[in-house]
């Protein structure tokens, strides 16, 4: 987590750095800082709190340096405080460094440096980096590429993850960056170069990017970038042009990014479907091109992810098993990676990650690759780390998702996984063409039906107003509705800080019903015609015990039984999560607004979880 920005060029660096940090604040927002080189010395300004607090620092407007690095922090080592904020400098104030990631062996390195006369003022793991660079820099005074060598040697000592930017007072026209297991991109301009943790933060300056691989270093001047691998061998890289529109990264008149992203779903789902599905044609995945022989070789599919992305996997598991007749396990990446899963060359492992940078998901992918499984990444971010590790990659094309709470990425992930399932079923000839055609027709109607579901906003808002002071809210469902309950419950916790649980309705009697008391709020999701009667009975059990109920449904039910009923368009039950989640995303959003919270940047959370 944490966001880093850098600039080297001919313009004043500080406004560009702060602008970039503001766009990266979703990655962390408990402290911020910038370093620029000013007439031969390094200026370092930082403080705890939001990026906008930087404007309050005396002298920040007077900075004129045209090279600088910047950081917005999500604290891991050391509380949010000025001394723990980045950039960090070495003891002699020769180097300034910003870092995203975690240095796992920092204690050991700190002791080594203390033994060599260095002292530390922060509790961070990062502060060892500028000092370690200084250590190697002074040891290799004769080396002609002294700075690059010192940084390379320091990086070789680091265990863990890092994306770093380094300024050195001796080389005021050079910036060096390096990455391992933390994201970093270089944006190319005319007579200027930009660095960022992600593309959207600098998209208003350039659409041409270099992507760094794990272990890469880059040396930048205003008009050149040289790349090196982890052995310091020079390497060449191609510039990638990004098609995202700048307006996709702005709020576009919406109060919050989350609301904008909720309303973008008709469009984002349409983009996900793209040219993969056309009337009367087979689903097109020529880009991965699995044959019947390849697919028949898989006797097990794993879908591995974290949080919302994992819920997308859960939503699709029933369809994948039903249509392809292959057992599917959905697993949490942080569990999967440490429990020696039974996988081999007959396993297909699908990794789902909006950012493509989630540390646990990437580690799980590496593990399954090592065990011989075939790996397929599903990501929203072109060129993200996960896509560079996997054997195959397919993109959701949902457009940039800025709000910390994921909305449009979830519906696009389910849409893409549904297309993938239909493709597998067509290649395997595992179900009738009618069954497949049925779901295909419904997929093409999704954008329209999502727009219809969004029209419930006033009813949702009213119910949110009635219950926003609650301490606990429960979500119930069966089958795919249960998976939506889990996602809705996560969304609510994240942005409203209300305690919430999701239960499979049938499990209620096995314990959780003890929590149901007079006045408690229960949300029911009822979209599967085969399960609706059973779900209605379960809701009756909580109503009998005094619960207030909100029901999201596309079934014929007796509406009078409930406090509020949100009617959504009907669709094929296997893809109903893509529609039924919509009013529940709005529900969390409006509860958070009623409570006056920062919807886009909920406490303790960051968008991209690049640490374990
Ligand atoms: C919840 C949310 C998180 C992410 C999770 C995985 O709204 O956004 O639960 O889904 O951190 O992130 P990605 O998909 O980037 O791997």
């Amino acid at each position: 987590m944490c966001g880093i920005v850098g600039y080297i060029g001919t313009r004043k660096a500080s406004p560009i750095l702060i602008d970039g940090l503001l766009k990266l604040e979703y990655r962390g927002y408990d402290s911020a800082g910038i370093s620029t080189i000013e007439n031969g010395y390094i200026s370092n300004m930082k403080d705890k709190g939001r990026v906008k607090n930087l404007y309050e620092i005396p002298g920040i407007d007077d900075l004129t340096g045209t090279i600088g690095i910047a950081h917005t922090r999500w604290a891991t080592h050391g509380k949010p405080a000025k001394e723990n904020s980045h950039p960090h400098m070495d003891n002699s104030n020769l180097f300034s460094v910003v870092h995203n990631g975690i240095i796992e062996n920092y204690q050991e390195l700190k002791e080594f440096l203390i033994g060599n006369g260095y002292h530390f003022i922060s509790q961070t793991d990062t502060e060892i980096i500028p000092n370690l660079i200084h250590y190697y820099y002074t040891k290799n005074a004769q080396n002609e590429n002294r700075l690059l060598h010192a940084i390379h040697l320091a990086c070789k000592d680091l265990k863990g993850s890092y994306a770093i930017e380094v300024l050195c007072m001796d080389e005021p026209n050079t910036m060096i960056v390096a990455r391992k297991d933390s994201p970093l991109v270089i944006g190319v301009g005319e007579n200027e170069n930009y660095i960022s943790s992600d593309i959207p933060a600098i998209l208003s300056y350039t659409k041409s990017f270099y992507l760094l691989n794990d272990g890469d270093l880059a040396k930048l001047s205003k008009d050149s970038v040289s790349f090196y691998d982890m052995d310091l061998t020079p390497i060449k890289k191609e510039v990638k042009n990004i098609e995202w529109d700048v307006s996709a990264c702005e709020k576009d008149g919406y109060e919050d990014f989350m609301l904008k992203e909720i309303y973008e779903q008709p469009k984002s789902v349409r983009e996900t479907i793209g040219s993969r599905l056309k009337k009367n044609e087979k689903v097109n995945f020529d880009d991965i091109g699995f044959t019947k022989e390849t697919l028949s070789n898989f006797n097990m599919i794993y879908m591995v992810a974290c949080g919302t992305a994992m819920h997308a996997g859960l939503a699709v598991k029933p369809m994948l098993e039903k249509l392809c007749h292959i057992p599917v396990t959905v697993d949490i990446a942080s569990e999967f990676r440490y429990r020696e899963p039974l996988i081999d060359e007959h396993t297909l492992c699908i990794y789902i990650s909006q950012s493509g940078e989630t540390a646990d998901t990437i580690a799980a992918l590496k593990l399954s690759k090592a065990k011989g499984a075939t790996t397929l990444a599903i990501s929203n971010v072109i060129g993200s780390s996960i896509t560079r590790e996997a054997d195959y990659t397919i993109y959701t094309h949902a457009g940039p998702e800025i709000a910390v709470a994921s909305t449009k990425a979830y519906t696009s992930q389910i849409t893409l996984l549904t297309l993938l399932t239909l493709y597998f079923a067509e290649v395997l000839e595992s179900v009738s063409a009618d069954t497949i055609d049925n779901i295909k027709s419904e997929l093409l109607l999704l954008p329209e039906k999502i727009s219809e579901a969004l029209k419930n906003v006033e009813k949702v808002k009213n119910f949110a107003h009635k219950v926003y002071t609650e301490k606990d809210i429960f979500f119930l469902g069966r089958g795919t509705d249960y998976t939506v309950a889990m996602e809705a419950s996560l969304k609510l916790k994240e942005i409203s800080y209300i305690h919430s649980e999701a239960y499979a309705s049938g499990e209620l009697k096995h314990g959780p019903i003890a929590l149901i008391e007079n006045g408690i709020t229960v949300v029911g999701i009822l979209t599967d015609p085969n399960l609706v009667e059973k779900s209605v009975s379960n809701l009756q059990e909580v109503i009998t015990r005094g619960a207030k109920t909100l029901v999201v449904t596309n079934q014929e039910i007796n509406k009078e039984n409930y406090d509020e009923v949100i009617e959504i368009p009907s669709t094929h039950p296997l893809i109903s999560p893509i529609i039924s989640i919509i009013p529940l995303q709005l529900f969390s959003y409006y509860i958070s607004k009623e409570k006056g919270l920062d919807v886009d940047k909920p406490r303790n959370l960051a968008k991209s979880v690049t640490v374990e």
Side-chain angles (χ1 to χ4, degrees):
M1 324 206 312
C2 304
I4 64 181
V5 191
Y7 175 78
I8 178 164
T10 52
R11 292 189 277 163
K12 237 172 106 158
S14 55
I16 297 170
L17 296 172
I18 296 176
D19 177 56
L21 286 185
L22 286 167
K23 293 190 178 120
L24 284 180
E25 243 191 340
Y26 69 84
R27 301 178 69 87
Y29 28 88
D30 56 47
S31 36
I34 66 172
S35 270
T36 52
I37 300 191
E38 303 287 322
N39 304 317
Y41 78 95
I42 296 180
S43 146
N44 192 19
M45 297 191 174
K46 55 189 192 177
D47 209 346
K48 72 170 190 185
R50 288 280 168 100
V51 172
K52 64 177 164 40
N53 294 4
L54 288 176
Y55 292 120
E56 311 298 319
I57 299 180
I60 201 147
D61 292 335
D62 305 328
L63 297 173
T64 56
T66 56
I67 172 172
I69 57 177
H71 187 270
T72 179
R73 182 168 185 246
W74 186 87
T76 56
H77 295 67
K79 63 180 190 302
K82 184 172 176 181
E83 70 272 15
N84 292 329
S85 312
H86 302 217
H88 288 282
M89 300 193 70
D90 68 303
N91 291 169
S92 60
N93 291 336
L94 194 58
F95 300 98
S96 183
V97 172
V98 293
H99 164 225
N100 170 26
I102 289 185
I103 306 305
E104 287 162 5
N105 58 339
Y106 83 100
Q107 279 298 5
E108 189 188 307
L109 292 169
K110 197 169 180 174
E111 278 158 31
F112 167 78
L113 287 165
I114 290 171
N116 279 279
Y118 291 84
H119 65 269
F120 292 87
I121 43 185
S122 78
Q123 291 96 50
T124 66
D125 50 343
T126 302
E127 200 185 355
I128 56 126
I129 303 176
N131 286 304
L132 202 54
I133 294 171
H134 179 270
Y135 171 79
Y136 285 118
Y137 191 75
T138 45
K139 277 196 107 172
N140 293 297
Q142 303 315 320
N143 195 316
E144 60 172 42
N145 221 341
R146 189 178 172 198
L147 176 61
L148 185 67
H149 275 275
I151 295 171
H152 173 243
L153 289 171
C155 286
K156 278 175 69 170
D157 285 350
L158 305 178
K159 290 207 177 94
S161 56
Y162 57 81
I164 55 168
E165 297 173 324
V166 186
L167 290 183
C168 173
M169 209 162 69
D170 288 346
E171 296 202 30
N173 301 312
T174 303
M175 183 187 301
I176 292 185
V177 301
R179 69 154 279 184
K180 182 179 160 276
D181 294 332
S182 287
L184 194 78
V185 296
I186 299 177
V188 188
E190 204 149 297
N191 258 331
E192 53 187 6
N193 288 304
Y194 303 84
I195 318 284
S196 176
S197 298
D198 76 13
I199 290 168
I202 50 174
L203 202 56
S204 56
Y205 302 107
T206 180
K207 288 195 169 185
S208 304
F209 290 87
Y210 287 117
L211 306 173
L212 264 65
N213 287 331
D214 272 350
D216 286 354
L217 286 100
K219 181 174 175 179
L220 296 94
S221 70
K222 65 178 166 38
D223 45 20
S224 70
V225 189
S226 322
F227 297 98
Y228 306 86
D229 69 10
M230 55 182 73
D231 300 319
L232 219 51
T233 307
I235 46 173
K236 290 231 174 306
K237 282 194 184 281
E238 302 262 308
V239 170
K240 274 194 186 304
N241 290 312
I242 301 295
E243 284 161 21
W244 284 348
D245 191 351
V246 180
S247 70
C249 311
E250 309 287 344
K251 283 191 198 154
D252 237 358
Y254 285 91
E255 217 170 306
D256 302 280
F257 278 110
M258 183 178 175
L259 191 62
K260 177 184 175 233
E261 287 158 10
I262 291 174
Y263 275 90
E264 272 175 350
Q265 289 175 105
K267 179 169 168 256
S268 49
V269 163
R270 188 176 291 117
E271 297 281 318
T272 303
I273 296 171
S275 56
R276 295 204 184 270
L277 178 59
K278 291 195 185 125
K279 256 195 181 150
N280 306 323
E281 285 183 21
K282 295 217 170 204
V283 180
N284 177 359
F285 275 94
D286 287 350
D287 43 341
I288 51 174
F290 285 164
T291 61
K292 187 168 184 175
E293 198 191 350
T294 314
L295 286 175
S296 307
N297 174 48
F298 299 133
N299 54 23
M300 166 71 110
I301 295 178
Y302 270 96
M303 286 197 272
V304 182
C306 303
T308 291
M310 197 268 296
H311 292 158
L314 286 173
V316 180
K317 169 186 155 96
M319 178 170 24
L320 201 42
E321 289 190 329
K322 194 167 177 165
L323 303 194
C324 302
H325 311 150
I326 307 175
V328 177
T329 300
V330 180
D331 215 337
I332 299 169
S334 55
E335 291 295 313
F336 178 90
R337 65 182 285 195
Y338 289 116
R339 72 171 171 71
E340 298 186 24
L342 295 172
I343 48 175
D344 56 25
E345 65 278 15
H346 299 295
T347 318
L348 172 65
C349 290
I350 301 176
Y351 288 89
I352 313 161
S353 175
Q354 187 285 128
S355 63
E357 301 294 348
T358 302
D360 284 319
T361 310
I362 295 169
L365 189 154
K366 287 181 181 166
L367 171 81
S368 47
K369 241 176 121 173
K371 285 181 172 254
T374 300
T375 56
L376 168 65
I378 293 189
S379 180
N380 195 35
V381 180
I382 313 276
S384 55
S385 301
I386 201 168
T387 68
R388 281 178 273 156
E389 292 288 343
D391 299 320
Y392 300 90
T393 294
I394 48 179
Y395 289 104
T396 41
H397 297 297
E401 192 180 65
I402 311 279
V404 165
S406 184
T407 53
K408 65 175 180 171
Y410 169 77
T411 45
S412 281
Q413 284 158 351
I414 301 177
T415 304
L416 189 60
L417 282 162
T418 301
L419 288 163
L420 191 70
T421 304
L422 297 178
Y423 165 71
F424 284 2
E426 279 180 340
V427 174
L428 286 165
E429 299 173 287
S430 48
V431 275
S432 72
D434 276 1
T435 308
I436 295 178
D437 288 346
N438 226 329
I439 304 177
K440 278 181 174 173
S441 322
E442 282 302 328
L443 272 175
L444 290 170
L445 293 173
L446 275 176
E448 217 173 286
K449 293 190 175 183
I450 294 171
S451 299
E452 203 54 39
L454 284 164
K455 290 185 184 156
N456 288 298
V457 62
E458 284 311 317
K459 272 188 172 182
V460 173
K461 225 176 188 175
N462 290 342
F463 196 76
H465 178 70
K466 283 187 200 147
V467 301
Y468 78 93
T469 53
E470 297 290 312
K471 293 268 174 293
D472 308 281
I473 295 185
F474 292 90
F475 290 84
L476 303 178
R478 284 172 179 261
T480 53
D481 291 337
Y482 170 44
T483 70
V484 173
M486 285 189 244
E487 173 56 11
S489 170
L490 174 65
K491 218 86 303 170
L492 185 74
K493 286 183 196 101
E494 270 182 286
I495 60 167
S496 76
Y497 317 151
I498 294 177
H499 168 253
S500 157
E501 300 282 352
Y503 289 109
S505 308
E507 269 294 290
L508 211 55
K509 297 187 199 61
H510 299 283
I513 201 159
L515 297 168
I516 303 297
E517 55 185 7
N518 205 23
I520 203 145
T521 300
V522 176
V523 179
I525 303 136
L526 281 74
T527 69
D528 189 334
N530 297 320
L531 299 170
V532 66
E533 277 176 24
K534 293 186 193 307
S535 293
V536 163
S537 306
N538 297 133
L539 281 175
Q540 204 46 55
E541 289 157 9
V542 298
I543 292 169
T544 307
R545 287 161 180 84
K548 276 199 289 293
T549 49
L550 167 71
V551 168
V552 174
T553 188
N554 52 19
Q555 301 295 307
E556 293 287 324
I557 53 168
N558 184 355
K559 296 188 196 85
E560 279 157 25
N561 285 351
Y562 311 103
D563 294 276
E564 189 62 88
V565 176
I566 306 293
E567 289 178 276
I568 54 170
S570 60
T571 186
H572 193 290
L574 288 173
I575 60 167
S576 66
I578 302 170
I579 301 178
S580 50
I581 193 63
I582 303 289
L584 296 170
Q585 293 170 339
L586 287 168
F587 180 57
S588 301
Y589 174 83
Y590 283 109
I591 288 192
S592 178
K593 291 304 276 185
E594 287 280 359
K595 294 182 79 170
L597 301 172
D598 186 340
V599 178
D600 285 341
K601 300 185 192 80
R603 73 181 176 207
N604 305 337
L605 291 173
K607 181 77 184 158
S608 185
V609 187
T610 53
V611 294
E612 267 195 65

